Amino acid sequence: MRMTRLAAALLAAVLSVLLVPATAPAKDLESELNAKEAKLSKVRDRKGVLTTTISRYRKGIERLTREVAALRAQEAEVRARLAAKQAELDDAVAELDVAKKHLAVVRARLKRALISLREHLVTIYETGTPDILNVLIESGGYEELVNRSEYLSRINGLDEAVVTRVRDLRDQVKRTVARLRSAKNRIETARDAIAAEERALADARSAVQRRQSSLVAVRRRREAALEKVNSVESDLEGSVAAIQAELAATLRSTASAPLPAGPIRYGSGQLIWPVDGPVVSGFGLRWGRMHNGIDIAVPAGTPIRAAAAGSVVLVQSEGESGGYGNFTCLDHGGGLQTCYAHQSSFAVTSGSVSQGDVIGYVGCTGHCFGDHLHFEVRINGAPTDPLGYL
């Protein structure tokens, strides 16, 4: 809004002083400048918000990076436990193989024992089982009795040995079966544990992938936001600078020579107006920054008068003052100073001046949006609203 008033005032001043109508290109530049300045102001206002958002993205990236590292550590731990379970399963399978082979051997032995016992029982059945009475009766003498008794004892012992062996083999088979059953249970438990570990590993991997995807998305949003801010701001700054230069050149081409001083403009305060024109930007906050003076719109080359009698205490060129361009400050005593910025050239650079003396000429040096005078009043070095003294 202030830019619109400034451009309008500049064009009106050119019309009133030179009686030359503003050209269509100047009006077009004015409109374009206002639009670009409005956009640039909004972008700069949003830049703080976007910077905060980018900082939040950065913190999110750091947090997700830590979480990804933790998940990778968890994945490594699960792999280690999985390897341990696999080793346990391999041991159980090996033991099961040994037990199966032993069972096959025991079964073969049991089969042979059963065959032997069956044959012996058939023989006893066919011949009849000798008893001690028949041995005594049929013995021809004491020596034969002893031999027959010993023979009978051997037969009985052999029967008992066969039975005992069959029983032992049966018990051995039972123990083998029990051991096989235990090994089988252990294998199943190991397999269940491995399956659980595999699921945990899959969950951990999925979590890592989700976190990584989230991390990539956050990074992309951060980069896009930063790129957008930088691009828009750079484009707008370049456009504004180019339009300002073109507009200033257009205006200067219609009013580049110094103009007559004209009558002095008096106000209600102790100072006279340094130039006679409208105030297009007042004292106070402007575009998020402090504006330490007032901007008075007049054409380039308009003489600048000393607002009061005093002495020159500061003269700085455009290269020295920065944004102020060609800059002059006068000291009026009692802590009161006045300063004049953006001059096209100096008329006085030292010594004393009287109120109303021409000290310079209006221009657009330094950081400005068109020909105007930036006027400041300082009390003991502190900027003060000049309208209270004019």
Side-chain angles (χ1 to χ4, degrees):
M1 191 66 184
R2 289 168 178 158
M3 286 305 308
T4 302
R5 292 198 302 269
L6 173 57
L10 287 171
L11 293 174
V14 172
L15 286 169
S16 62
V17 175
L18 299 179
L19 299 177
V20 177
T23 63
K27 290 184 178 180
D28 293 341
L29 289 172
E30 173 196 347
S31 300
E32 188 176 357
L33 177 62
N34 291 337
K36 293 292 184 181
E37 277 295 333
K39 289 181 181 179
L40 182 59
S41 179
K42 289 181 180 179
V43 167
R44 285 174 174 169
D45 289 342
R46 289 176 55 199
K47 189 172 183 179
V49 177
L50 289 174
T51 301
T52 302
T53 302
I54 291 171
S55 177
R56 206 162 48 239
Y57 285 165
R58 187 179 297 109
K59 292 179 181 178
I61 289 172
E62 293 173 355
R63 176 178 57 80
L64 288 173
T65 300
R66 291 192 296 269
E67 292 184 11
V68 168
L71 287 170
R72 286 177 178 166
Q74 180 183 353
E75 185 178 1
E77 182 182 354
V78 170
R79 287 184 183 276
R81 293 203 304 269
L82 184 59
K85 289 297 180 183
Q86 185 62 47
E88 183 179 349
L89 178 59
D90 293 342
D91 292 343
V93 170
E95 185 178 355
L96 178 60
D97 290 340
V98 172
K100 284 181 178 179
K101 292 178 182 178
H102 184 63
L103 178 60
V105 173
V106 170
R107 282 177 176 172
R109 290 179 181 175
L110 178 58
K111 184 177 181 180
R112 288 196 299 270
L114 290 175
I115 292 172
S116 177
L117 179 60
R118 188 181 301 112
E119 290 175 351
H120 183 65
L121 291 175
V122 170
T123 302
I124 292 176
Y125 174 76
E126 291 176 349
T127 60
T129 303
D131 54 20
I132 192 61
L133 180 60
N134 290 333
V135 171
L136 291 175
I137 294 175
E138 295 177 0
S139 297
Y142 178 75
E143 184 176 352
E144 187 179 357
L145 175 63
V146 171
N147 291 334
R148 288 190 174 190
S149 297
E150 184 178 353
Y151 175 73
L152 183 60
S153 296
R154 287 179 181 179
I155 291 175
N156 290 333
L158 180 60
D159 291 342
E160 291 178 1
V162 171
V163 172
T164 300
R165 184 179 179 185
V166 171
R167 186 181 295 114
D168 290 344
L169 288 174
R170 182 196 62 192
D171 294 341
Q172 187 175 358
V173 169
K174 287 182 178 179
R175 289 192 297 272
T176 301
V177 170
R179 188 168 65 253
L180 286 173
R181 219 173 259 137
S182 175
K184 180 183 177 182
N185 292 337
R186 217 166 36 250
I187 290 172
E188 290 177 348
T189 301
R191 283 178 178 170
D192 293 342
I194 289 174
E197 295 297 331
E198 286 178 341
R199 288 192 295 271
L201 181 59
D203 291 342
R205 284 177 177 172
S206 296
V208 169
Q209 291 172 351
R210 288 194 299 272
R211 295 295 183 183
Q212 286 177 337
S213 297
S214 178
L215 180 64
V216 170
V218 170
R219 282 177 176 170
R220 285 176 179 171
R221 288 197 298 271
R222 174 186 176 274
E223 291 169 356
L226 185 59
E227 183 178 357
K228 181 178 179 181
V229 171
N230 291 337
S231 176
V232 171
E233 186 176 21
S234 177
D235 290 345
L236 287 175
E237 285 179 345
S239 298
V240 167
I243 295 170
Q244 287 173 354
E246 190 173 353
L247 180 59
T250 301
L251 293 175
R252 275 196 289 267
S253 67
T254 61
S256 57
L259 302 177
I264 295 175
R265 177 181 173 183
Y266 294 93
S268 59
Q270 67 187 87
L271 303 178
I272 64 171
W273 285 74
V275 292
D276 186 9
V279 176
V280 293
S281 184
F283 177 86
L285 286 177
R286 182 181 70 173
W287 306 324
R289 291 184 281 234
M290 186 64 186
H291 187 229
N292 290 326
I294 60 175
D295 291 344
I296 307 172
V298 288
T302 299
I304 303 170
R305 297 180 182 276
S311 58
V312 178
V313 293
L314 178 66
V315 175
Q316 289 183 328
S317 66
E318 183 175 5
E320 296 171 323
S321 69
Y324 280 115
N326 292 327
F327 187 55
T328 302
C329 286
L330 305 178
D331 183 72
H332 308 288
L336 173 64
Q337 290 184 341
T338 57
C339 297
Y340 312 79
H342 307 310
Q343 300 173 65
S344 62
S345 60
F346 301 109
V348 176
T349 57
S350 63
S352 299
V353 295
S354 300
Q355 187 178 52
D357 285 353
V358 175
I359 63 168
Y361 299 93
V362 170
C364 188
T365 56
H367 184 217
C368 74
F369 304 116
D371 295 318
H372 70 283
L373 172 66
H374 173 83
F375 178 62
E376 293 186 10
V377 171
R378 299 178 181 180
I379 304 299
N380 296 321
T384 306
D385 190 351
L387 293 180
Y389 294 85
L390 292 174

